[in-house]
Amino acid sequence: MKVRRIEKGGALKIVVGMRQLADLVEELEVADSGVDIDRDFVKFVSNEWDEAALEEALLIKEAVGGEVVVIALDEPDVDQTLYSAIAKGADRAVKIVGVEEGWTPTRLRAQLLSKWLKSEGDWDAFLTGVQAADDLDGQLAGLIGATLGVPHAAVVSKAEPEGSSLRITQELGGGTLSESVATGKVVLGIQAGRQAPRYAPITRIRQAMSTSTIETFDAQEIDLGPGPKVRKIYPPQSKGQATMLDGDPVEVAEKIVELIRAKGLVR
Amino acid sequence: MSKDVLVINERVQGENPDLTFELIGKAKEIAGILGGSVGVVVIGDLSGTEAFGAADRIYTVEHDALTSGYSSQVWEEAVLAVVESVQPKLILFGTGTIGIDLAGSIAKRVGGPIASYVIDLAVEGDDVVATSQLYGGKLLAESVLEGDTVVASVIAGSFPSEAGKSGGSPEVVSVSAPSSLGSLSLIPGSVKEPDKTGVDITTSDLLVSVGRGVGSQANIEMLQELADAFKVPLSASRPVIDQGWLPKPHQVGKSGKKVKPKVYLAFGISGAPEHLEGMRSSEMIIACNTDPKAPIFEVAHYGTTLDLFDLVPEILEKLEA
């Protein structure tokens, strides 16, 4: 356990949990096992909500100083995500290695990250994406919070430093916002940062690759605990509700305008 | 362990969400099969509980920390107190903010399994079987939840709400507030009602709506031109708002506005469950997306896989003609 800084002066150590996810733009096929997607031909990209979490962490650091550490499990193309985070301004990158390939349950992810967070000790806030498109067994922030016994909040749209606290804004739905203040360690699931994720130019990513090192942390034995036992994964049966409008753009445009006209909404 | 089903009412202030009634309706069906009863957990604002006549019991927790604002820590401790007292077989959350906040942590703390993004639930013997949406609705997962207490967080619109609205006079049970509410490190503050300034997308009979498929902020101009030609507001799905391409009041969906226009024109919107939640009750939905498998076509009445950049100029031309 590292010694906690005494003179904090408002500077915060923020850890950002990132992950790779099958690119939703791609066609997803069910694997022969019937209980996972076929991962062989899928492109893996950084979870977009994690990028929002990184942006929020960088904004906090820019406001009060401190450190941003990004951490991820070893997953396809994760180095790209971690180096790109360094290029954007993260100070350190950590990769948890030795995890079995495939669909990692969120509660395994949560426990592995919690092990590292415990060993690191002196962090102030852990930020991650509010959700991921495959987190069947719960969302990461809540699971980490419950594992560590640290308060957590999800669907966060702002985390603003206030002295040594963080003022947190959550979206309650329908545009209603709720504020709370975290006076100690906190785990946050970020919905959207205060601004869109910044762009890392490829030259800066290459520079990060040549000048920085990704630290590694060995995955440890985990008692996974109960989870949903997946029996099958399958594409939803198409109800085929939409009537497809055939023709070239001119013809389809005409049909659309006709449909709107029939509702009396255009002359 | 009981065979009861517990529904968490996800309301901090304002009206009870329709989702609570959907959950109560499904809870009654499941409790009927299991031979248990249905309880609704009401935290914070205790007014309006008479609406939960379809439940057998209403559980409340009262504490100063619960009187105003929202903190997931406060809610988690309060919900857990009820769960420990009732020891239900099944706990039902929605997939709103409170469900995303608490469903996983409550499951973790009671040592039970959880299924997220649930759209259907069934009982098989002693187990609950959940059907969940994965990958933004592109795939479904069927999973078995075994254990004394299991948790599901359900996507809004999955069950009819009528079955959860019938009358009755449930017993109100006040559960003692846990002592943990006296030592908080996530302090609830104010709750702010939606910003009423800016565009109001909820009153228009026609909406031109744009999604991630538009590609860039510059390309939004073309859709704005189309909206202007129709003299209606331009609305958008979450990725467009998160990228900062349009301000928040333009957002349709779970974390934005619910809209119900006569015609909803969706360009480059794939139709994630959170978006569908905000627009599926539109009278007529016309969707344009190059991916023929996009979930938006499941709710759309008319669709085209033409590129929006080819189609929109032609619609503009027709309108100008």
Side-chain angles (χ1 to χ4, degrees):
Chain A
M1 187 78 75
K2 290 179 184 169
V3 181
R4 197 176 169 79
R5 293 183 305 277
I6 297 173
E7 30 117 26
K8 286 199 44 166
L12 296 170
K13 177 167 174 178
I14 315 282
V15 181
V16 181
M18 306 193 72
R19 57 160 294 176
Q20 299 296 101
L21 189 68
D23 191 345
L24 291 186
V25 173
E26 303 219 355
E27 184 104 346
L28 297 177
E29 306 262 343
V30 177
D32 292 340
S33 69
V35 293
D36 192 6
I37 56 166
D38 187 340
R39 293 173 182 269
D40 288 348
F41 303 100
V42 176
K43 187 175 144 210
F44 287 85
V45 293
S46 173
N47 181 26
E48 60 171 312
W49 282 290
D50 298 345
E51 295 291 340
L54 173 62
E55 182 61 38
E56 197 66 11
L58 294 171
L59 290 176
I60 294 170
K61 183 183 134 181
E62 282 161 10
V64 296
E67 189 183 5
V68 172
V69 186
V70 288
I71 181 163
L73 271 57
D74 190 2
E75 292 176 304
D77 295 329
V78 74
D79 287 8
Q80 173 74 21
T81 296
L82 293 175
Y83 282 124
S84 147
I86 290 174
K88 289 177 181 184
D91 302 278
R92 287 167 59 199
V94 182
K95 184 161 72 173
I96 299 181
V97 295
V99 188
E100 207 179 314
E101 279 179 31
W103 186 11
T104 306
T106 310
R107 60 197 198 286
L108 175 58
R109 211 174 270 285
Q111 296 212 45
L112 290 169
L113 289 163
S114 295
K115 293 264 185 203
W116 183 86
L117 287 166
K118 264 188 201 158
S119 79
E120 186 74 4
D122 65 347
W123 51 277
D124 297 292
F126 177 83
L127 273 56
T128 191
V130 62
Q131 62 194 90
D134 69 351
D135 53 6
L136 176 65
D137 58 340
Q139 285 67 49
L140 189 60
L143 292 174
I144 290 189
T147 303
L148 294 173
V150 169
H152 54 90
V155 200
V156 170
S157 56
K158 274 185 211 167
E160 298 163 297
E162 238 182 37
S164 58
S165 305
L166 277 178
R167 178 172 292 274
I168 290 152
T169 303
Q170 285 178 280
E171 297 184 355
L172 288 182
T176 303
L177 300 175
S178 146
E179 281 190 353
S180 54
V181 175
T183 56
K185 271 195 164 81
V186 70
V187 175
L188 302 177
I190 305 289
Q191 166 78 26
R194 276 168 278 161
Q195 62 183 42
R198 64 194 68 188
Y199 173 73
I202 192 79
T203 48
R204 290 256 289 280
I205 299 174
R206 287 216 186 97
Q207 194 187 355
M209 284 170 144
S210 63
T211 56
S212 38
T213 317
I214 294 173
E215 301 164 37
T216 57
F217 181 78
D218 290 323
Q220 300 171 25
E221 271 305 292
I222 295 293
D223 173 16
L224 192 52
K229 293 190 172 159
V230 177
R231 275 207 297 223
K232 63 171 175 175
I233 287 186
Y234 56 103
Q237 193 149 34
S238 172
K239 296 185 199 93
Q241 198 192 353
T243 304
M244 296 314 269
L245 303 168
D246 297 323
D248 62 25
V250 176
E251 291 162 336
V252 173
E254 197 166 297
K255 286 174 187 171
I256 288 176
V257 172
E258 210 37 64
L259 286 166
I260 298 169
R261 186 170 288 136
K263 288 274 184 186
L265 300 172
V266 65
R267 277 184 293 126
Chain B
M1 281 296 154
S2 75
K3 296 181 184 304
D4 296 345
V5 181
L6 212 51
V7 169
I8 314 301
N9 181 37
E10 297 186 20
R11 177 187 66 157
V12 174
Q13 61 182 46
E15 287 178 23
N16 288 310
D18 213 38
L19 176 57
T20 301
F21 299 101
E22 293 182 28
L23 297 181
I24 293 173
K26 194 66 186 179
K28 283 178 66 145
E29 182 192 319
I30 291 173
I33 300 168
L34 293 169
S37 58
V38 173
V40 180
V41 182
V42 180
I43 306 279
D45 185 352
L46 302 184
S47 64
T49 49
E50 63 279 359
F52 303 131
D56 299 298
R57 268 176 222 94
I58 292 169
Y59 296 96
T60 63
V61 181
E62 287 172 70
H63 188 277
D64 284 347
L66 292 162
T67 49
S68 74
Y70 171 79
S71 140
S72 57
Q73 186 183 27
V74 172
W75 271 66
E76 182 170 319
E77 296 304 321
V79 169
L80 194 67
V82 178
V83 168
E84 283 171 349
S85 152
V86 178
Q87 306 210 342
K89 169 68 186 175
L90 173 64
I91 307 170
L92 293 179
F93 285 92
T95 323
T97 296
I98 293 170
I100 294 183
D101 254 347
L102 303 184
S105 56
I106 293 285
K108 171 82 184 161
R109 289 179 73 176
V110 301
I114 173 184
S116 303
Y117 313 121
V118 170
I119 56 163
D120 202 8
L121 287 162
V123 176
E124 277 184 21
D126 289 333
D127 302 326
V128 174
V129 176
T131 305
S132 301
Q133 283 188 342
L134 290 180
Y135 296 103
K138 282 192 154 189
L139 292 171
L140 299 178
E142 186 180 283
S143 63
V144 185
L145 303 174
E146 300 169 353
D148 291 336
T149 297
V150 305
V151 181
S153 65
V154 177
I155 289 179
S158 298
F159 307 123
S161 59
E162 288 70 32
K165 283 182 175 163
S166 54
S169 45
E171 176 190 2
V172 178
V173 181
S174 176
V175 174
S176 328
S179 58
S180 52
L181 287 179
S183 53
L184 299 171
S185 58
L186 189 57
I187 320 293
S190 60
V191 172
K192 290 180 188 160
E193 288 296 324
D195 188 359
K196 294 276 195 286
T197 58
V199 62
D200 184 3
I201 58 170
T202 61
T203 53
S204 182
D205 281 338
L206 169 67
L207 280 175
V208 174
S209 209
V210 56
R212 189 197 305 268
V214 72
S216 75
Q217 182 154 30
N219 291 340
I220 287 197
E221 269 176 40
M222 190 170 76
L223 277 307
Q224 183 67 60
E225 210 180 313
L226 183 64
D228 292 346
F230 281 120
K231 299 188 178 65
V232 298
L234 181 63
S235 57
S237 64
R238 186 192 55 75
V240 170
I241 308 297
D242 285 358
Q243 285 295 327
W245 295 344
L246 278 175
K248 186 84 183 170
H250 293 260
Q251 185 179 351
V252 173
K254 190 171 78 176
S255 53
K257 303 268 172 51
K258 236 179 205 161
V259 298
K260 208 175 158 182
K262 286 184 180 158
V263 176
Y264 187 83
L265 278 173
F267 292 99
I269 293 176
S270 67
E274 295 81 6
H275 184 75
L276 301 184
E277 192 179 323
M279 47 62 80
R280 68 184 320 148
S281 350
S282 304
E283 264 178 49
M284 183 194 284
I285 298 165
I286 306 173
C288 168
N289 194 303
T290 50
D291 176 5
K293 290 188 174 169
I296 189 82
F297 292 125
E298 294 295 316
V299 301
H301 303 89
Y302 295 93
T304 169
T305 54
L306 287 173
D307 193 317
L308 72 91
F309 300 105
D310 295 330
L311 180 60
V312 171
E314 295 303 334
I315 301 177
L316 275 167
E317 189 138 316
K318 283 274 163 315
L319 292 175
E320 282 159 9

